[in-house]
Amino acid sequence: MSQYAQQYKELAEKKVEEQAKVFLTQFVLEFQGKFDEVLDTATSFKGYTDGTVETLEEDAMHVFMEKRGETTTIQDLRERLKTNGIEFRKRFAFIDYMMFEYRKNIKDLFEKRGGAATPEMLKALDDALAEFQKVMDIKNARLQKMKKLESDAAKGGVRGMAAQNELAQMKSEDQLALNKMEVTAAAKKRKAQKAVENGDDSKAREKALKEENARLEAEKKKKEEEEKRKREESRRRLAERAAKFNQA
C-alpha cells in the first residue's frame, strides 16, 4: 500500500471539496443515493477549519468527532489510520475521517475497482458535486467577507462601527440552514429526474420534470427575495446607527 502514500499525502493537502470528490468518485457504486451523506459531512468538517488551512489539529478533530457522536480517541484514530496504510501527520484532513468512518484503506482509495457505474449514477454524482461546490463557494465568500469586516472593525471610527455591526449580524445568521436547504433542493431534483427517466409515458415524464423545475425556480426566487430583504434591512439599521453615532 506504500505505493499510494504520496498520492494520499497530496490529496490530503487539497481542499475539502476536492477530497470529497475523489472519495465519492472512487466509491460511487457504494454511495449511490447517499452522496449527500458524505457531502454534508464535508460541509461540517470545513466548518471546524479556520478558513486558511483545511485541516484540523488534534483538539479540533476531537471536537468534530465528538459532535458526530464518535467515542474513538485521537490515539485510536491514529492507530486505525496507520493500520489502513496512512502515514502519521500532525493535522487531520477530511479524507482521514472518511477513511476512518467507512473503514477504507489506502489501497481501496486508489486502486482501480471492478464494476461499472451507470451513466445515470455518474450524472447524479456530478449534480451532487456541483451543488456541493456552490455551497462551498458561498461559505468561502462569506468567510472572506467576515475577515474583511473584522479588519475594518479593528480600525475603529464610523466605518469600524458599521463593520462591527454588520459582522455581528452575519454571525447571527444561520447560513448553515440555508446551505442545507440548497443541498436538499438538489437532492429532490435528482430524485425527481430519476423518477422521470424511469417512467414509461413521455408526456408524464415531461410534465413531472416541468413541475419540479418550476417548484425549484419558485424556491430559488423566494430565497433571493428573502436575502434581498435582509440586506436592505441590514443597510437600514447600519445607516441609522451611523447617523446616531455622528450626532453624538
Side-chain angles (χ1 to χ4, degrees):
M1 290 189 287
S2 60
Q3 61 179 309
Y4 300 115
Q6 184 59 32
Q7 283 180 262
Y8 189 89
K9 181 176 182 295
E10 292 173 358
L11 175 62
E13 293 173 351
K14 293 182 178 180
K15 291 184 177 181
V16 168
E17 45 266 47
E18 293 181 41
Q19 296 175 41
K21 181 176 182 179
V22 169
F23 184 84
L24 281 175
T25 300
Q26 178 68 351
F27 302 111
V28 62
L29 292 173
E30 180 178 339
F31 286 92
Q32 59 174 313
K34 300 187 296 181
F35 299 146
D36 289 343
E37 178 181 312
V38 173
L39 299 180
D40 284 349
T41 304
T43 301
S44 177
F45 182 93
K46 191 151 185 171
Y48 285 85
T49 67
D50 62 9
T52 55
V53 179
E54 299 200 3
T55 53
L56 301 181
E57 46 82 29
E58 288 189 351
D59 288 344
M61 187 64 173
H62 175 74
V63 173
F64 167 73
M65 293 178 65
E66 190 176 58
K67 291 293 185 181
R68 297 185 62 80
E70 299 283 358
T71 57
T72 302
T73 66
I74 292 297
Q75 183 177 351
D76 289 340
L77 171 61
R78 289 198 182 282
E79 286 297 323
R80 176 84 66 80
L81 293 175
K82 181 179 179 181
T83 300
N84 290 344
I86 299 168
E87 297 179 354
F88 175 88
R89 299 187 319 281
K90 289 184 177 181
R91 299 177 68 92
F92 293 94
F94 171 69
I95 192 65
D96 293 332
Y97 182 72
M98 288 291 96
M99 302 293 277
F100 159 78
E101 177 69 7
Y102 296 103
R103 299 181 180 276
K104 304 297 183 184
N105 62 48
I106 198 169
K107 183 178 179 181
D108 295 332
L109 185 62
F110 294 111
E111 191 171 64
K112 187 175 181 180
R113 301 172 66 82
T118 65
E120 290 77 17
M121 289 169 57
L122 294 176
K123 175 64 166 58
L125 175 58
D126 286 342
D127 289 346
L129 290 171
E131 191 64 29
F132 173 64
Q133 187 61 57
K134 290 180 183 178
V135 171
M136 290 295 99
D137 289 344
I138 291 172
K139 292 179 72 68
N140 289 337
R142 180 180 174 82
L143 182 60
Q144 291 303 314
K145 182 177 180 180
M146 291 178 74
K147 286 185 176 181
K148 176 65 166 55
L149 289 172
E150 287 174 350
S151 176
D152 290 344
K155 297 176 182 178
V158 176
R159 183 177 179 181
M161 187 186 73
Q164 187 174 359
N165 289 334
E166 186 174 357
L167 181 62
Q169 183 168 334
M170 286 186 70
K171 288 181 177 180
S172 68
E173 293 174 355
D174 190 359
Q175 186 64 49
L176 184 59
L178 174 60
N179 291 348
K180 181 66 176 178
M181 286 173 57
E182 292 178 354
V183 173
T184 301
K188 289 180 179 179
K189 183 175 182 179
R190 292 194 300 275
K191 183 177 180 180
Q193 181 69 47
K194 184 176 180 180
V196 168
E197 292 173 347
N198 290 339
D200 294 325
D201 185 85
S202 60
K203 290 185 178 180
R205 292 199 301 271
E206 183 178 352
K207 180 181 178 182
L209 183 57
K210 184 176 181 180
E211 289 177 350
E212 177 63 12
N213 286 335
R215 184 188 67 79
L216 291 173
E217 186 63 30
E219 285 186 1
K220 179 181 178 182
K221 184 177 180 181
K222 182 178 179 180
K223 183 184 71 176
E224 290 175 346
E225 290 176 348
E226 178 62 18
E227 290 176 344
K228 181 180 179 181
R229 185 192 66 77
K230 287 182 178 180
R231 287 196 299 270
E232 291 176 347
E233 179 65 16
S234 175
R235 284 194 291 267
R236 183 186 66 79
R237 291 179 180 176
L238 290 174
E240 290 178 353
R241 290 171 182 169
K244 290 180 180 179
F245 181 81
N246 289 332
Q247 293 173 0

